[in-house]
Amino acid sequence: MRRAILFAVLAAAASLAAYWLALHPGQISIQWLGYRLEPPIGLLVLAVLAFTVVVILLYRVIRAILGTPRRIGQARTDSRRSRGYKALSQGMVAVAAGDAQEAQRWSRRAEDLLEDPPITLLLAAQAAQLNGDEKAAEKYFNAMLEKPETRFLGLRGLLMQALREGDHQRALGYVRQAHALRPKTPWVVTNLFELSQRSGDLEAASAALKQAVKIKAMDKADADHKGAVITLAKAERLLAEGQKEEAFTQARLADRSDPDLLAAALLHARLAVERKAWKEAAKVVERSWPRTPSAELAALYRAAAPEAKPLEQVKRFTRLAALNPKHRESHLALAEATLEAGLWGEARRHLAELVTLAGEDPPRAQVCRLMARLEEAERHDTASARRWLERAAAAPPDPAWVCDSCGAVASRWSANCGSCGTFDSLDWRLPRRVGALAAAGDDLPRIAAKAAPPVAPPAPHAAPVVELSAAGTPRLPAVTPLPGPPDRVKPIAKPEGEGDGAQRPQAAEPAARPADDDDSDAAAVEGYMPPRPTS
């Protein structure tokens, strides 16, 4: 459109000039080399224009002739580049498809045609990796470091190689160099955080975490949780170094930063108990119990009242259990507290209610151990207590620190899994059990809400009572000791004068405890409701 307008303007100008010359005719006199010319002015102008056109055409012809070799060379270069980029594209497709031989073939062709531009180094490195030649891939990545335009990409390749080889120190060096080049790249910041905390540089990890939130490479809630884990790791390190005051400050900060972090609540409460800050320790347990109850929290809650009598402990645990009444740990805590207070019926009732919860039948190891203590304490029945302890050995596991990544079970919490090294992967939950449980024997004891009257031991060939599930199969046991007082199974003392080889007299049957003894003792317990009589 612009050209058409320009042509129209020039044509109009030429027409006006011709019209003006026609209205103003004249002659020009030229004398040159003995000749005299007097052409009209219009003819002279026309001759000048024709001469100009001829000169321009002649110039273009000469330029075209002289520029032919250059144009031929440019055409060959363009064709070579086109074929090189086509080979590069085919190589990338082969890498994506996992065809190592094709990728390597196209990589060599692209390198020959494109005369080793930066992009061919990347294809060559990826083809070498696909072919399993890590040394060649490392050579290409290092070559990329020498070119400013590919240095960042080469660092990423070397970083991925180091991570695959498990060389985290070398990977940390590469990611620090990448961070110096492009500090706002999300994968650089997240890898800097992971590798810094893994290497123990918790301050650098905290700084990287803050930067990740700033550039929106990580969700704020997730960053807050990871920050609490880092703070808790600092507290653990300070505690190992003997700096208990600083460790307590960091543990309290981690607990307040993420109230759902059970490990932070445990360390906070434990250090508060050691400082004899009983009220603070109890408040920590009471705040954590509705979200993440555990046996260790219950033990710390008991330790937070060292002078409380057994019935006072029952009152305290009744209030604690009311914060999460349907959880297994609430029943276990109340069962142990009532057992310590001598409320046998209440202890048996809580254990019986526990095995009715989902996933608690067959009973787990802690339940079996408590039942052994109950049988020994209430009825002095060492045979039944022994059977419960044997049952605990094959019972399903109790909750523990389990890695969500590899499934390993840890004895204590740490920021990184001791097996696979994954950060923040330990969770307090029930471990998975592989394989079927051992078959229940015919002498498995029964959990009942109320103790049966004590009876003499059965005859050698008498058929004992077998506890059956709803499906009609024997109920099996449960596993994993929880912190607290050890199982107390006391053997019956031998009568005086009785030797190992002497004939042992039959033990006298203990007197049965009145049925309402537990009710009278438990009446002083806050919130206690006596069991309803059964018809």
Side-chain angles (χ1 to χ4, degrees):
M1 184 66 182
R2 295 176 60 185
R3 290 183 178 182
I5 294 174
L6 180 61
F7 177 77
V9 171
L10 292 176
S15 300
L16 289 174
Y19 176 72
W20 185 84
L21 289 174
L23 292 178
H24 302 85
Q27 291 183 341
I28 296 177
S29 178
I30 300 175
Q31 292 183 355
W32 186 52
L33 297 177
Y35 294 95
R36 182 177 180 179
L37 298 176
E38 293 181 353
I41 188 65
L43 181 61
L44 181 61
V45 172
L46 184 60
V48 170
L49 291 176
F51 179 76
T52 303
V53 171
V54 170
V55 170
I56 291 174
L57 290 176
L58 184 61
Y59 169 76
R60 290 192 174 184
V61 169
I62 295 173
R63 183 181 178 185
I65 293 172
L66 296 177
T68 299
R70 182 180 59 81
R71 286 197 302 274
I72 293 174
Q74 184 65 38
R76 292 184 61 186
T77 302
D78 292 344
S79 175
R80 187 182 183 89
R81 183 183 296 109
S82 176
R83 287 182 287 128
Y85 281 114
K86 183 178 180 181
L88 189 63
S89 300
Q90 293 292 336
M92 291 295 185
V93 171
V95 168
D99 192 341
Q101 293 182 351
E102 280 294 301
Q104 204 163 19
R105 182 171 72 85
W106 286 112
S107 171
R108 287 194 296 267
R109 183 169 178 79
E111 188 174 356
D112 292 338
L113 293 172
L114 296 177
E115 299 178 355
D116 194 23
I119 195 66
T120 60
L121 291 175
L122 175 61
L123 176 59
Q126 290 181 334
Q129 283 183 329
L130 199 59
N131 206 32
D133 191 351
E134 293 293 336
K135 293 294 183 183
E138 184 177 359
K139 181 188 70 173
Y140 286 118
F141 284 131
N142 281 318
M144 294 171 69
L145 298 182
E146 299 175 0
K147 301 178 181 293
E149 62 270 25
T150 58
R151 179 174 176 79
F152 184 72
L153 198 57
L155 287 171
R156 180 181 175 91
L158 292 171
L159 169 65
M160 294 299 107
Q161 267 196 324
L163 289 176
R164 280 194 298 271
E165 295 170 3
D167 191 346
H168 296 104
Q169 285 299 327
R170 186 159 61 97
L172 181 59
Y174 291 137
V175 79
R176 283 174 176 168
Q177 294 181 53
H179 185 259
L181 291 176
R182 299 185 185 178
K184 294 184 179 180
T185 304
W187 69 263
V188 173
V189 178
T190 53
N191 276 281
L192 181 61
F193 165 73
E194 294 288 345
L195 293 169
S196 295
Q197 65 81 20
R198 185 185 288 268
S199 66
D201 191 352
L202 300 181
E203 296 299 332
S206 298
L209 195 60
K210 293 177 181 177
Q211 188 178 9
V213 176
K214 187 176 180 180
I215 65 174
K216 298 182 180 179
M218 189 180 298
D219 181 70
K220 189 177 185 304
D222 188 28
D224 290 342
H225 171 72
K226 291 182 184 297
V229 174
I230 292 294
T231 305
L232 183 58
K234 292 179 182 178
E236 294 277 4
R237 177 181 295 180
L238 290 169
L239 186 62
E241 295 172 355
Q243 304 180 44
K244 290 189 175 182
E245 290 298 323
E246 292 80 359
F248 177 72
T249 301
Q250 294 294 325
R252 177 191 286 171
L253 178 60
D255 187 24
R256 291 176 178 176
S257 299
D258 188 358
D260 292 332
L261 186 58
L262 174 60
L266 289 173
L267 185 59
H268 183 189
R270 178 160 66 89
L271 294 178
V273 168
E274 292 180 3
R275 290 163 53 92
K276 297 184 179 180
W278 314 122
K279 290 185 179 179
E280 182 174 354
K283 287 181 180 179
V284 170
V285 175
E286 290 169 357
R287 177 174 48 79
S288 300
W289 195 264
R291 290 184 289 268
T292 53
S294 73
E296 190 173 351
L297 276 178
L300 291 170
Y301 194 67
R302 184 179 298 106
E307 297 180 359
K309 295 180 180 179
L311 283 179
E312 293 175 348
Q313 291 283 19
V314 172
K315 293 180 182 179
R316 296 178 70 249
F317 276 99
T318 300
R319 292 193 299 269
L320 181 66
L323 300 175
N324 199 343
K326 296 183 179 180
H327 199 277
R328 69 181 304 273
E329 297 295 345
S330 296
H331 288 289
L332 278 174
L334 275 174
E336 188 165 2
T338 52
L339 181 58
E340 292 286 344
L343 305 179
W344 320 126
E346 278 296 288
R348 194 178 296 270
R349 180 174 68 84
H350 284 295
L351 293 175
E353 290 180 2
L354 174 60
V355 296
T356 63
L357 301 178
E360 297 297 330
D361 188 11
R364 300 184 179 274
Q366 182 67 2
V367 177
C368 295
R369 286 191 292 272
L370 287 176
M371 281 301 301
R373 291 173 55 189
L374 180 60
E375 292 292 341
E376 172 67 18
E378 180 185 11
R379 304 173 61 191
H380 306 288
D381 188 348
T382 56
S384 179
R386 188 182 306 110
R387 289 198 299 273
W388 276 110
L389 292 177
E390 291 172 355
R391 186 175 183 179
D398 283 319
W401 292 110
V402 183
C403 177
D404 293 332
S405 179
C406 66
V409 179
S411 59
R412 59 186 297 273
W413 180 90
S414 60
N416 296 87
C417 173
S419 176
C420 64
T422 305
F423 174 71
D424 187 28
S425 62
L426 294 181
D427 188 24
W428 182 260
R429 60 180 176 84
L430 294 172
R432 289 183 298 177
R433 180 156 183 159
V434 180
L437 295 173
D442 291 338
D443 58 347
L444 292 181
R446 180 191 302 274
I447 297 179
K450 199 69 177 176
V455 295
H461 300 288
V465 178
V466 180
E467 182 185 8
L468 298 179
S469 65
T473 58
R475 286 187 175 173
L476 300 179
V479 211
T480 334
L482 295 175
D487 297 320
R488 291 173 290 185
V489 180
K490 302 177 182 178
I492 300 176
K494 296 180 181 179
E496 294 183 2
E498 179 180 348
D500 291 339
Q503 183 178 2
R504 299 181 182 181
Q506 185 175 0
E509 184 174 325
R513 183 173 177 170
D516 58 347
D517 280 357
D518 282 348
D519 298 343
S520 59
D521 290 342
V525 179
E526 182 179 347
Y528 167 72
M529 295 293 293
R532 296 181 180 178
T534 56
S535 57

